[in-house]
Amino acid sequence: MYRENGGPDVLSYEEIADPVPGDHEVLIRVEAISIEGGDLLTRLMMPLPRSPHVVGYGSAGTVTAVGGKVTDLRVGQRVSAFGEHGSHAELRAVRADHCWVLPDGVDAAAAACVPVAFGTAYEALFEQGGLAAGSTVLVQGAAGGVGLAAVQLAAKAGARVIGTGSSHEQLDALRRLGLHDGIDYRTEDVRRRVLELTDGIGVDLALDPVGGPMTQQVILATRQGGTVVFLGASAREASMVDATTLLLGNCTLSGFSLSPMIHTPRVRAYVADIIRRVAESDLDVVVDRVFPLADAADAHRYAEQRGRIGRVVMVP
Protein backbone atom coordinates (compact mmCIF):
# COMPACT_ATOMS: atom_id res chain seq x y z
CA MET A 1 0.00 0.00 0.00
CA TYR A 2 1.00 3.66 -0.17
CA ARG A 3 -0.21 6.94 1.28
CA GLU A 4 1.27 9.39 -1.19
CA ASN A 5 2.42 9.41 -4.79
CA GLY A 6 6.06 8.86 -5.54
CA GLY A 7 8.74 6.37 -6.46
CA PRO A 8 8.83 2.72 -5.41
CA ASP A 9 9.94 3.67 -1.90
CA VAL A 10 6.42 4.94 -1.06
CA LEU A 11 5.21 1.32 -1.06
CA SER A 12 4.97 -0.39 2.32
CA TYR A 13 4.04 -3.96 3.28
CA GLU A 14 1.39 -3.87 6.00
CA GLU A 15 -1.59 -5.71 7.44
CA ILE A 16 -5.03 -4.30 6.61
CA ALA A 17 -8.58 -5.56 7.04
CA ASP A 18 -9.62 -8.31 4.63
CA PRO A 19 -11.76 -7.01 1.76
CA VAL A 20 -15.42 -8.03 1.75
CA PRO A 21 -16.95 -8.83 -1.65
CA GLY A 22 -20.05 -6.90 -2.71
CA ASP A 23 -23.11 -8.50 -4.27
CA HIS A 24 -21.53 -8.64 -7.74
CA GLU A 25 -17.98 -9.41 -6.59
CA VAL A 26 -15.87 -12.39 -5.64
CA LEU A 27 -13.07 -12.65 -3.11
CA ILE A 28 -9.84 -14.10 -4.48
CA ARG A 29 -6.90 -15.56 -2.62
CA VAL A 30 -4.14 -14.25 -4.84
CA GLU A 31 -1.49 -16.63 -6.22
CA ALA A 32 0.31 -14.26 -8.60
CA ILE A 33 0.33 -10.54 -9.41
CA SER A 34 1.40 -9.00 -12.71
CA ILE A 35 3.03 -5.58 -12.46
CA GLU A 36 1.55 -3.51 -15.26
CA GLY A 37 2.84 -0.25 -16.67
CA GLY A 38 -0.34 1.39 -15.43
CA ASP A 39 0.46 0.27 -11.89
CA LEU A 40 3.75 2.16 -12.02
CA LEU A 41 2.17 5.32 -13.43
CA THR A 42 -0.71 5.18 -10.94
CA ARG A 43 1.68 4.93 -8.01
CA LEU A 44 3.78 7.77 -9.36
CA MET A 45 1.20 10.38 -10.30
CA MET A 46 -2.50 9.46 -10.15
CA PRO A 47 -4.59 10.94 -7.30
CA LEU A 48 -5.22 8.43 -4.52
CA PRO A 49 -8.90 7.40 -4.33
CA ARG A 50 -8.30 6.51 -0.68
CA SER A 51 -5.42 6.46 1.79
CA PRO A 52 -3.82 4.06 2.24
CA HIS A 53 -4.30 2.72 -1.29
CA VAL A 54 -3.61 -0.79 -2.61
CA VAL A 55 -2.51 -0.44 -6.20
CA GLY A 56 -2.66 -2.94 -9.02
CA TYR A 57 -4.66 -4.20 -12.00
CA GLY A 58 -3.91 -7.85 -12.76
CA SER A 59 -3.74 -10.98 -10.62
CA ALA A 60 -4.73 -14.64 -10.59
CA GLY A 61 -5.84 -16.88 -7.79
CA THR A 62 -8.62 -18.96 -6.25
CA VAL A 63 -12.14 -17.80 -5.47
CA THR A 64 -12.79 -18.07 -1.72
CA ALA A 65 -16.16 -16.30 -1.46
CA VAL A 66 -18.84 -15.00 -3.84
CA GLY A 67 -21.27 -12.11 -3.53
CA GLY A 68 -24.99 -12.69 -3.19
CA LYS A 69 -25.80 -11.92 -6.84
CA VAL A 70 -22.90 -13.81 -8.46
CA THR A 71 -24.20 -16.79 -10.40
CA ASP A 72 -21.42 -17.77 -12.82
CA LEU A 73 -18.48 -18.29 -10.43
CA ARG A 74 -18.10 -20.56 -7.42
CA VAL A 75 -15.75 -21.07 -4.52
CA GLY A 76 -12.69 -23.10 -5.47
CA GLN A 77 -12.41 -21.96 -9.09
CA ARG A 78 -9.08 -20.52 -10.22
CA VAL A 79 -9.43 -17.26 -12.13
CA SER A 80 -7.50 -14.47 -13.78
CA ALA A 81 -8.85 -11.12 -12.59
CA PHE A 82 -8.70 -7.45 -13.53
CA GLY A 83 -9.59 -4.51 -11.33
CA GLU A 84 -8.83 -0.81 -11.11
CA HIS A 85 -6.93 -1.45 -7.87
CA GLY A 86 -6.21 -4.09 -5.26
CA SER A 87 -3.99 -6.63 -7.02
CA HIS A 88 -0.98 -6.03 -4.73
CA ALA A 89 -2.43 -8.05 -1.85
CA GLU A 90 -2.99 -11.57 -0.54
CA LEU A 91 -6.76 -11.12 -0.89
CA ARG A 92 -8.72 -8.94 -3.30
CA ALA A 93 -12.40 -8.35 -4.03
CA VAL A 94 -13.14 -7.90 -7.71
CA ARG A 95 -16.18 -7.83 -9.97
CA ALA A 96 -17.22 -11.25 -11.19
CA ASP A 97 -17.49 -9.99 -14.77
CA HIS A 98 -13.83 -8.99 -14.55
CA CYS A 99 -12.75 -12.61 -13.99
CA TRP A 100 -11.96 -15.51 -16.33
CA VAL A 101 -12.03 -19.13 -15.19
CA LEU A 102 -8.68 -20.80 -15.88
CA PRO A 103 -8.25 -24.10 -17.70
CA ASP A 104 -6.66 -26.86 -15.66
CA GLY A 105 -2.92 -26.59 -15.29
CA VAL A 106 -2.52 -22.94 -16.29
CA ASP A 107 0.28 -21.24 -14.37
CA ALA A 108 -0.99 -18.42 -12.17
CA ALA A 109 1.87 -16.09 -13.12
CA ALA A 110 1.09 -16.47 -16.81
CA ALA A 111 -2.64 -16.09 -16.25
CA ALA A 112 -2.22 -12.90 -14.24
CA CYS A 113 -0.39 -11.28 -17.16
CA VAL A 114 -3.02 -11.98 -19.82
CA PRO A 115 -6.01 -9.61 -19.50
CA VAL A 116 -4.23 -6.24 -19.47
CA ALA A 117 -1.33 -6.85 -21.87
CA PHE A 118 -2.81 -9.36 -24.29
CA GLY A 119 -6.25 -7.77 -24.12
CA THR A 120 -4.81 -4.34 -24.94
CA ALA A 121 -2.68 -5.74 -27.75
CA TYR A 122 -5.61 -7.63 -29.28
CA GLU A 123 -7.92 -4.61 -29.15
CA ALA A 124 -5.27 -2.40 -30.72
CA LEU A 125 -4.31 -4.81 -33.50
CA PHE A 126 -7.64 -6.23 -34.60
CA GLU A 127 -10.45 -4.03 -33.31
CA GLN A 128 -8.84 -0.59 -33.58
CA GLY A 129 -6.19 -1.36 -36.20
CA GLY A 130 -7.98 -3.82 -38.48
CA LEU A 131 -4.85 -5.95 -38.84
CA ALA A 132 -4.97 -8.57 -41.59
CA ALA A 133 -2.60 -11.17 -42.96
CA GLY A 134 0.07 -9.55 -45.11
CA SER A 135 0.01 -6.26 -43.21
CA THR A 136 3.12 -4.65 -41.77
CA VAL A 137 2.92 -3.51 -38.15
CA LEU A 138 5.33 -1.46 -36.03
CA VAL A 139 5.35 -2.27 -32.30
CA GLN A 140 6.95 0.36 -30.10
CA GLY A 141 8.53 -1.09 -26.96
CA ALA A 142 8.37 -4.63 -28.32
CA ALA A 143 9.89 -6.15 -25.16
CA GLY A 144 7.29 -4.60 -22.84
CA GLY A 145 4.13 -6.32 -21.66
CA VAL A 146 1.85 -5.08 -24.44
CA GLY A 147 4.70 -5.30 -26.95
CA LEU A 148 5.44 -8.96 -26.26
CA ALA A 149 1.75 -9.75 -26.67
CA ALA A 150 1.39 -7.69 -29.84
CA VAL A 151 4.43 -9.25 -31.52
CA GLN A 152 3.00 -12.75 -31.05
CA LEU A 153 -0.59 -11.95 -31.95
CA ALA A 154 0.39 -10.04 -35.08
CA ALA A 155 2.90 -12.62 -36.28
CA LYS A 156 0.47 -15.49 -35.79
CA ALA A 157 -2.12 -13.52 -37.77
CA GLY A 158 0.27 -13.43 -40.73
CA ALA A 159 1.62 -9.90 -40.38
CA ARG A 160 5.20 -8.73 -40.76
CA VAL A 161 6.28 -7.35 -37.38
CA ILE A 162 8.84 -4.58 -36.88
CA GLY A 163 9.67 -3.78 -33.26
CA THR A 164 11.65 -1.17 -31.38
CA GLY A 165 13.73 -1.80 -28.28
CA SER A 166 16.69 -0.56 -26.27
CA SER A 167 19.24 -2.92 -27.86
CA HIS A 168 19.60 -5.36 -30.70
CA GLU A 169 20.44 -8.09 -28.18
CA GLN A 170 17.04 -7.52 -26.58
CA LEU A 171 15.27 -7.47 -29.95
CA ASP A 172 17.05 -10.57 -31.25
CA ALA A 173 15.63 -12.50 -28.30
CA LEU A 174 12.12 -11.71 -29.58
CA ARG A 175 12.58 -13.37 -32.94
CA ARG A 176 11.38 -16.68 -31.54
CA LEU A 177 8.08 -14.94 -30.74
CA GLY A 178 7.63 -13.72 -34.33
CA LEU A 179 9.57 -10.46 -34.57
CA HIS A 180 10.86 -10.02 -38.13
CA ASP A 181 12.90 -6.80 -37.86
CA GLY A 182 14.24 -4.91 -34.84
CA ILE A 183 15.16 -1.25 -34.44
CA ASP A 184 17.32 0.03 -31.57
CA TYR A 185 15.67 3.36 -30.79
CA ARG A 186 18.73 4.48 -28.83
CA THR A 187 21.11 4.30 -31.78
CA GLU A 188 18.86 4.34 -34.87
CA ASP A 189 16.39 6.81 -36.35
CA VAL A 190 13.12 4.90 -36.07
CA ARG A 191 11.35 6.68 -38.89
CA ARG A 192 14.28 6.37 -41.29
CA ARG A 193 14.84 2.72 -40.47
CA VAL A 194 11.16 1.82 -40.90
CA LEU A 195 11.12 3.47 -44.31
CA GLU A 196 14.26 1.54 -45.28
CA LEU A 197 12.66 -1.72 -44.22
CA THR A 198 9.44 -1.00 -46.12
CA ASP A 199 10.96 0.35 -49.35
CA GLY A 200 9.95 3.90 -48.45
CA ILE A 201 6.28 3.08 -47.95
CA GLY A 202 5.89 2.90 -44.16
CA VAL A 203 3.92 0.46 -42.02
CA ASP A 204 0.20 -0.20 -42.32
CA LEU A 205 -0.34 -0.09 -38.56
CA ALA A 206 1.71 1.19 -35.62
CA LEU A 207 1.14 0.55 -31.92
CA ASP A 208 2.57 3.11 -29.51
CA PRO A 209 2.48 2.29 -25.78
CA VAL A 210 5.48 4.56 -25.19
CA GLY A 211 4.35 8.09 -26.06
CA GLY A 212 6.54 11.13 -25.61
CA PRO A 213 8.44 12.53 -28.60
CA MET A 214 8.43 9.15 -30.33
CA THR A 215 4.72 9.37 -31.16
CA GLN A 216 5.35 11.89 -33.93
CA GLN A 217 8.11 9.70 -35.35
CA VAL A 218 5.74 6.73 -35.37
CA ILE A 219 3.17 8.77 -37.31
CA LEU A 220 5.80 9.69 -39.88
CA ALA A 221 6.78 6.02 -40.20
CA THR A 222 3.21 5.06 -41.14
CA ARG A 223 2.15 4.78 -44.76
CA GLN A 224 -0.43 6.90 -46.53
CA GLY A 225 -3.81 5.88 -45.16
CA GLY A 226 -2.26 3.95 -42.28
CA THR A 227 -3.29 3.80 -38.64
CA VAL A 228 -1.51 4.63 -35.39
CA VAL A 229 -3.01 3.35 -32.12
CA PHE A 230 -1.85 5.19 -29.00
CA LEU A 231 -1.83 2.88 -25.98
CA GLY A 232 0.12 4.49 -23.16
CA ALA A 233 2.78 6.83 -21.88
CA SER A 234 5.59 4.72 -20.49
CA ALA A 235 8.03 7.45 -21.59
CA ARG A 236 6.35 9.70 -19.00
CA GLU A 237 6.64 12.68 -21.31
CA ALA A 238 3.98 14.65 -23.13
CA SER A 239 3.23 13.38 -26.63
CA MET A 240 3.31 16.38 -28.96
CA VAL A 241 1.71 15.59 -32.32
CA ASP A 242 1.75 17.73 -35.46
CA ALA A 243 -1.82 17.22 -36.67
CA THR A 244 -0.85 18.42 -40.13
CA THR A 245 1.08 15.19 -40.68
CA LEU A 246 -2.12 13.23 -40.04
CA LEU A 247 -3.88 15.28 -42.68
CA LEU A 248 -1.12 15.05 -45.27
CA GLY A 249 -0.69 11.33 -44.67
CA ASN A 250 -4.42 10.51 -44.58
CA CYS A 251 -3.43 8.82 -41.33
CA THR A 252 -5.74 7.81 -38.50
CA LEU A 253 -4.59 8.30 -34.90
CA SER A 254 -6.73 6.60 -32.27
CA GLY A 255 -6.41 5.71 -28.63
CA PHE A 256 -8.33 3.73 -26.05
CA SER A 257 -8.27 2.41 -22.50
CA LEU A 258 -9.28 -1.22 -22.11
CA SER A 259 -10.56 -0.97 -18.53
CA PRO A 260 -13.94 0.68 -19.28
CA MET A 261 -14.77 -2.05 -21.82
CA ILE A 262 -13.14 -5.10 -20.27
CA HIS A 263 -16.44 -6.39 -18.84
CA THR A 264 -18.23 -6.32 -22.21
CA PRO A 265 -19.07 -9.66 -23.87
CA ARG A 266 -16.86 -8.82 -26.87
CA VAL A 267 -13.72 -8.22 -24.80
CA ARG A 268 -14.46 -11.03 -22.35
CA ALA A 269 -14.70 -13.44 -25.28
CA TYR A 270 -11.34 -12.66 -26.83
CA VAL A 271 -9.54 -12.54 -23.46
CA ALA A 272 -10.97 -15.99 -22.68
CA ASP A 273 -9.73 -17.23 -26.03
CA ILE A 274 -6.26 -15.82 -25.39
CA ILE A 275 -6.14 -17.59 -22.01
CA ARG A 276 -7.05 -20.82 -23.84
CA ARG A 277 -4.25 -20.24 -26.32
CA VAL A 278 -1.77 -19.65 -23.48
CA ALA A 279 -2.95 -22.90 -21.85
CA GLU A 280 -2.36 -24.72 -25.15
CA SER A 281 1.12 -23.14 -25.55
CA ASP A 282 0.07 -21.32 -28.72
CA LEU A 283 0.98 -18.00 -27.04
CA ASP A 284 3.84 -17.43 -24.61
CA VAL A 285 3.79 -15.28 -21.48
CA VAL A 286 7.44 -14.38 -20.91
CA VAL A 287 8.23 -13.84 -17.22
CA ASP A 288 11.54 -12.16 -16.51
CA ARG A 289 11.59 -12.23 -12.71
CA VAL A 290 9.39 -13.14 -9.74
CA PHE A 291 9.46 -11.21 -6.44
CA PRO A 292 7.76 -11.82 -3.10
CA LEU A 293 4.89 -9.41 -2.47
CA ALA A 294 6.75 -8.22 0.63
CA ASP A 295 9.42 -6.87 -1.74
CA ALA A 296 6.98 -4.86 -3.86
CA ALA A 297 9.16 -1.74 -3.75
CA ASP A 298 12.07 -3.70 -5.21
CA ALA A 299 9.76 -5.29 -7.77
CA HIS A 300 8.46 -1.90 -8.91
CA ARG A 301 12.00 -0.56 -9.07
CA TYR A 302 13.06 -3.49 -11.24
CA ALA A 303 9.98 -3.18 -13.45
CA GLU A 304 10.91 0.41 -14.23
CA GLN A 305 14.30 -0.60 -15.63
CA ARG A 306 14.76 -0.61 -19.39
CA GLY A 307 16.40 -3.49 -21.20
CA ARG A 308 14.35 -6.27 -19.63
CA ILE A 309 12.70 -9.02 -21.68
CA GLY A 310 9.46 -10.17 -20.12
CA ARG A 311 7.09 -9.53 -17.27
CA VAL A 312 7.73 -8.83 -13.61
CA VAL A 313 5.50 -10.86 -11.29
CA MET A 314 4.96 -10.94 -7.53
CA VAL A 315 3.70 -13.77 -5.34
CA PRO A 316 2.22 -13.38 -1.81
Side-chain angles (χ1 to χ4, degrees), residues 62 65 69 125 152 178 291 306:
T62 301
K69 295 184 178 180
L125 289 168
Q152 295 180 73
F291 287 80
R306 298 190 183 276

Side-chain angles (χ1 to χ4, degrees), residues 183-245:
I183 302 172
D184 181 346
Y185 68 83
R186 291 186 174 183
T187 62
E188 299 178 272
D189 184 300
V190 172
R191 177 202 178 194
R192 182 180 298 115
R193 186 67 182 125
V194 167
L195 294 177
E196 289 174 354
L197 291 168
T198 58
D199 297 324
I201 296 172
V203 296
D204 301 297
L205 171 64
L207 272 55
D208 183 13
V210 178
M214 287 305 302
T215 299
Q216 182 62 33
Q217 294 301 306
V218 170
I219 292 171
L220 294 173
T222 305
R223 68 163 174 82
Q224 282 275 328
T227 300
V228 176
V229 184
F230 184 72
L231 303 175
S234 64
R236 301 181 183 179
E237 300 176 68
S239 296
M240 304 301 292
V241 172
D242 180 356
T244 304
T245 57

Side-chain angles (χ1 to χ4, degrees), residues 140-193:
Q140 280 276 76
V146 174
L148 287 167
V151 166
Q152 295 180 73
L153 291 170
K156 287 183 177 292
R160 177 188 178 189
V161 185
I162 302 171
T164 71
S166 58
S167 72
H168 278 290
E169 290 77 15
Q170 180 192 55
L171 291 162
D172 287 345
L174 305 185
R175 293 188 183 278
R176 70 175 184 85
L177 301 178
L179 185 71
H180 295 90
D181 300 287
I183 302 172
D184 181 346
Y185 68 83
R186 291 186 174 183
T187 62
E188 299 178 272
D189 184 300
V190 172
R191 177 202 178 194
R192 182 180 298 115
R193 186 67 182 125

